[in-house]
Amino acid sequence: MTIKLIAIDVDDTLLSSKQELLDSTIEVIQQALTKSIKVVLCTGRPLAGVTHFLAQLGIEGSNQYVITFNGAVIETVTGEVVAKHLLDNATYRALTAFAEKKGIPFNVLDEHSSIYTASHDVNWITVVQAYENLAGIYVRTPDEQSADFSIAKGLFIGEAEQLDLVENEVRSTFSPDFYVVRSGRNFLEVLNQHVNKGQALKDLAAKLGLESAEVMAIGDEQNDIPMFDFAGIAIAMGNGSELAKDHATYITSTNDADGIAEAVRKFVLTD
């Protein structure tokens, strides 16, 4: 069946190790767009963190979509929200209390991409996170937020070894009431239990009247596996994790070696 939607992870997939788009990536995506194929960025970032790349790729207009916050929000590239599944203040309290007890750096993102942390000692990874997503950082305890304050996701952050030590305990404490996923070496995320990239991609495909066989997904990490499991064709990057590769139907080259271009030419731009 012909591919009509390409879902692409951003960090370490769409972007090179220098956090840039390769010319070959821009070329094949623009070719796909000219064939009326939807190209949907599926990312843990907020919309503000991918707007620059959308512009470079030529993905624009109210009929183009992006999946943000690892599936917590589906929206048009112009910012019109199609669906969202957020977490409440009580969850923010519970996650913050756990982080403080375990001494793990922690922050949350609201649906507008602002970053909040209860710690005055802001971790350097949070600073990088804010820079990449064009986000402000606010030091606020849960008590300083309104009762109806909601978040898109919570993030335990830190060096990979630090997160390795607490990952199982985070999972046992918050699963299955929440979706817990290691989205990268430095990020362990907690989201609404109904949220993941695969569910969001399934919901968007249904809205567009597409079957899973008409969808191709490209990614590199654990948080991409749910969309691999939904899509008719699942592409793992050569630089991806072994777990992601185990769920893929094809392993392409790395993000620094035309991996996106290789996959799109092989499975989409075949004529």
Side-chain angles (χ1 to χ4, degrees), residues 126-188:
T126 297
V127 176
V128 174
Q129 179 188 354
Y131 171 78
E132 291 180 344
N133 295 315
L134 305 179
I137 301 175
Y138 301 90
V139 179
R140 301 283 191 279
T141 66
D143 287 338
E144 293 175 311
Q145 301 288 11
S146 63
D148 61 352
F149 177 71
S150 59
I151 61 174
K153 63 179 180 178
L155 299 95
F156 296 100
I157 62 174
E159 302 299 335
E161 297 76 15
Q162 184 179 18
L163 294 183
D164 290 343
L165 292 174
V166 298
E167 182 172 351
N168 287 340
E169 188 172 358
V170 171
R171 291 185 183 278
S172 63
T173 302
F174 296 102
S175 296
D177 295 327
F178 302 94
Y179 172 50
V180 179
V181 63
R182 186 74 175 264
S183 58
R185 287 173 50 82
N186 306 114
F187 298 99
L188 178 60

Side-chain angles (χ1 to χ4, degrees), residues 12-264:
D12 298 317
T13 298
L14 180 74
L15 302 181
S16 71
S17 58
K18 295 181 180 180
Q19 295 289 293
E20 297 173 342
L21 291 168
L22 299 180
D23 289 341
S24 60
T25 298
I26 296 172
E27 179 183 349
V28 297
I29 288 179
Q30 290 182 347
Q31 288 178 23
L33 292 170
T34 64
K35 295 178 177 290
S36 298
I37 297 167
K38 297 289 187 186
V39 179
V40 179
L41 302 191
C42 299
T43 178
R45 296 185 184 214
L47 179 58
V50 296
T51 298
H52 175 65
F53 305 120
L54 290 167
Q56 284 184 271
L57 294 168
I59 303 173
E60 58 186 10
S62 59
N63 65 339
Q64 299 291 346
Y65 300 88
V66 59
I67 292 171
T68 55
F69 301 111
N70 273 325
V73 179
I74 305 171
E75 56 194 311
T76 68
V77 300
T78 56
E80 179 183 351
V81 174
V82 174
K84 62 182 178 181
H85 301 281
L86 306 179
L87 300 172
D88 60 16
N89 193 309
T91 302
Y92 178 28
R93 289 176 179 274
L95 292 170
T96 299
F98 182 93
E100 290 177 344
K101 181 179 179 181
K102 299 298 177 181
I104 315 169
F106 178 76
N107 68 59
V108 301
L109 276 78
D110 69 9
E111 62 181 301
H112 308 295
S113 82
S114 295
I115 297 174
Y116 294 87
T117 178
S119 174
H120 287 270
D121 185 14
V122 179
N123 186 274
W124 71 270
I125 295 174
T126 297
V127 176
V128 174
Q129 179 188 354
Y131 171 78
E132 291 180 344
N133 295 315
L134 305 179
I137 301 175
Y138 301 90
V139 179
R140 301 283 191 279
T141 66
D143 287 338
E144 293 175 311
Q145 301 288 11
S146 63
D148 61 352
F149 177 71
S150 59
I151 61 174
K153 63 179 180 178
L155 299 95
F156 296 100
I157 62 174
E159 302 299 335
E161 297 76 15
Q162 184 179 18
L163 294 183
D164 290 343
L165 292 174
V166 298
E167 182 172 351
N168 287 340
E169 188 172 358
V170 171
R171 291 185 183 278
S172 63
T173 302
F174 296 102
S175 296
D177 295 327
F178 302 94
Y179 172 50
V180 179
V181 63
R182 186 74 175 264
S183 58
R185 287 173 50 82
N186 306 114
F187 298 99
L188 178 60
E189 304 191 11
V190 180
L191 301 100
N192 184 292
Q193 64 179 337
H194 302 295
V195 163
N196 61 62
K197 288 186 179 184
Q199 185 60 53
L201 186 56
K202 180 179 179 180
D203 292 345
L204 179 59
K207 173 181 172 62
L208 298 174
L210 301 178
E211 300 178 19
S212 61
E214 297 173 300
V215 176
M216 181 171 82
I218 311 175
D220 73 298
E221 260 298 348
Q222 291 183 33
N223 58 327
D224 298 314
I225 292 174
M227 68 175 184
F228 282 7
D229 293 343
F230 169 74
I233 300 175
I235 309 294
M237 302 299 292
N239 54 286
S241 70
E242 292 306 312
L243 188 57
K245 291 177 181 177
D246 287 343
H247 287 256
T249 52
Y250 180 79
I251 300 172
T252 189
S253 299
T254 70
N255 60 330
D256 286 330
D258 294 330
I260 295 288
E262 176 187 322
V264 174

